[in-house]
């Protein structure tokens, strides 16, 4: 709560403060869903300057994501999964139940499961989760210290004039509240090895190896080369795609994930079994599920 104000009751302050109808605030107080240090607070609870209250926000209506998360590996410490396109890694914004984390916590009965890193909602492929809470920092530090090797595959237009393989370096900045990242002048902070695997007609399949982990790095670098990824709703231009439109997914797949076991130092390597539909089934990719 603020230091002072004109409100006699907590209810009056919350009505002014929260972006919900006053009737919703009344209902939450009546249901005991707003709590203070000593438990639920009622409709007549006084406004107490600098106090703290808690409540769970109402969950949004979510479009069910009709694709499954595949468990690639599970042991006492970690769970490695093959995430589908359109499924967010963790709850954020309008995605809560329809996320890989919430699904896995319920399906595997692992209430303390947490991600060691993230993939964009529109990107498919391997994600590492930590099952043992005490080991979470250990695995997150592998990513922080760049000891995790990641290899991606992508489908994009083929440009015969594009000299590959090449290392792309640039400075990428992502501002809070802006959906896209931007390349700006300055010292490079993002580096990607781009290799051509094969091509046919006007399309090509690429291997992308990031040496850094900037937001949207692979998508930005491919767009900067003039070969933006198929199905990308942000680059080179932002397109408004409804959350329940599962056609033409972004053709980007986290194919390989490798890292040294924190206890033994032995390399652990995992490979996605998914494929990119625009390459294997172009007509089906355009038609959608």
């Amino acid at each position: 709560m603020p230091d002072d104000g004109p409100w006699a009751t907590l209810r009056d302050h919350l009505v002014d403060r929260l972006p919900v109808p006053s009737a919703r605030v009344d209902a939450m107080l009546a249901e005991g869903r707003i709590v203070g240090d000593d438990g639920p607070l009622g409709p007549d609870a006084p406004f107490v300057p600098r106090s703290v209250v808690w409540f769970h926000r109402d969950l949004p209506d979510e479009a069910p994501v009709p694709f499954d998360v595949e468990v690639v590996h599970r042991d006492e410490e970690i769970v490695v999964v093959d995430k589908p396109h359109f499924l967010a890694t963790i709850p954020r914004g309008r995605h809560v139940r329809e996320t890989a984390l919430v699904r896995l916590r319920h399906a595997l009965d692992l209430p303390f499961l947490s991600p060691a890193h993230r993939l964009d909602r529109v990107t498919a492929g391997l994600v590492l989760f930590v099952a043992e809470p005490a080991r979470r920092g250990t695995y997150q530090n592998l990513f922080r210290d760049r000891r995790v090797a990641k290899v991606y595959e992508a489908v994009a237009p083929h440009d015969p004039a594009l000299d590959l393989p090449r290392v792309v370096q640039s400075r990428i900045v992502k501002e809070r509240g802006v959906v896209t990242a931007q390349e700006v002048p300055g010292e490079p902070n993002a580096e990607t090895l781009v290799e051509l695997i094969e091509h046919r007609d006007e399309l090509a399949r690429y291997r992308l190896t990031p040496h850094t982990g900037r937001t949207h790095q692979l998508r930005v670098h491919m767009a900067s080369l003039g070969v933006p990824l198929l199905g990308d709703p942000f680059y080179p231009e932002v397109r408004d795609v409804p959350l329940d439109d599962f056609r033409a997914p972004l053709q980007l797949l986290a194919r390989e994930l490798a890292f040294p076991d924190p206890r033994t130092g032995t390399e652990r390597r995992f490979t996605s079994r998914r494929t990119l539909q625009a390459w294997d089934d172009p007509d089906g990719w355009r038609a959608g599920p």
Side-chain angles (χ1 to χ4, degrees):
M1 300 297 110
D3 291 336
D4 55 44
W7 311 280
T9 65
L10 172 67
R11 182 261 182 201
D12 292 340
H13 172 69
L14 294 180
V15 166
D16 285 351
R17 181 172 180 175
L18 301 181
V20 297
S22 60
R24 190 76 203 102
V25 175
D26 292 334
M28 293 172 70
L29 286 165
E31 295 166 4
R33 293 179 56 190
I34 299 177
V35 300
D37 290 331
D38 298 322
L41 297 165
D44 298 327
F47 169 76
V48 179
R50 305 193 70 177
S51 63
V52 178
V53 302
W54 294 265
F55 61 91
H56 289 287
R57 65 184 175 90
D58 292 326
L59 295 181
D61 292 330
E62 297 181 62
V65 178
F67 311 108
D68 294 329
V69 182
E70 179 184 350
V71 175
V72 175
H73 171 84
R74 178 182 179 181
D75 59 36
E76 293 182 355
E77 288 195 356
I78 64 172
V79 177
V80 180
V81 304
D82 215 348
K83 186 185 80 67
H85 295 287
F86 301 112
L87 189 70
T89 302
I90 63 172
R92 185 178 182 183
R94 295 175 61 184
H95 306 283
V96 181
R97 298 184 188 92
E98 290 297 310
T99 61
L101 178 61
V102 173
R103 283 192 185 183
L104 291 166
R105 281 181 171 178
H106 287 289
L108 304 180
D109 192 24
L110 293 173
F112 299 109
L113 189 73
S114 59
H117 65 120
R118 287 184 246 171
L119 280 186
D120 292 340
R121 185 182 72 91
V122 291
T123 303
L126 298 175
V127 185
L128 171 64
F129 289 85
V130 184
E132 173 55 53
R135 301 289 287 167
R136 178 182 181 185
T138 300
Y139 285 94
Q140 288 181 326
N141 288 344
L142 291 175
F143 288 87
R144 182 199 65 188
D145 298 337
R146 299 183 182 176
R147 300 181 67 196
V148 179
K150 295 179 284 185
V151 177
Y152 292 74
E153 285 186 16
V155 178
H158 177 238
D159 180 0
L162 188 61
D163 185 21
L164 296 177
R166 71 166 62 185
V167 174
V168 182
Q169 294 180 318
S170 68
R171 184 167 189 82
I172 296 178
V173 174
K174 174 72 166 59
E175 296 183 8
R176 186 178 181 86
V178 179
V179 297
T180 57
Q182 306 293 328
E183 288 186 301
V184 299
E187 182 179 354
N189 62 1
E191 181 178 307
T192 306
L193 171 63
V194 180
E195 300 173 278
L196 177 66
I197 299 175
E198 58 183 327
H199 68 88
R200 65 169 183 256
D201 301 326
E202 297 179 351
L203 294 182
R205 192 161 65 97
Y206 298 88
R207 180 183 298 108
L208 309 178
T209 306
H211 296 150
T212 54
R214 311 304 298 186
T215 299
H216 297 175
Q217 174 178 319
L218 303 180
R219 298 159 67 179
V220 169
H221 278 168
M222 291 297 283
S224 72
L225 293 176
V227 285
L229 304 185
L230 266 62
D232 196 330
F234 288 174
Y235 307 97
E237 296 180 353
V238 175
R239 295 183 291 110
D240 184 16
V241 180
L243 294 178
D244 60 352
D245 185 347
F246 302 117
R247 297 171 296 174
L250 174 71
Q251 294 300 279
L252 181 62
L253 172 67
R255 169 67 71 191
E256 297 179 12
L257 190 66
F259 53 88
D261 185 280
R263 294 189 188 275
T264 66
T266 303
E267 183 182 81
R268 309 189 72 176
R269 181 176 297 274
F270 303 96
T271 303
S272 170
R273 290 190 281 266
R274 297 185 185 275
T275 60
L276 292 172
Q277 190 181 19
W279 186 258
D280 294 342
D281 179 21
D283 293 335
W285 175 75
R286 296 186 185 93

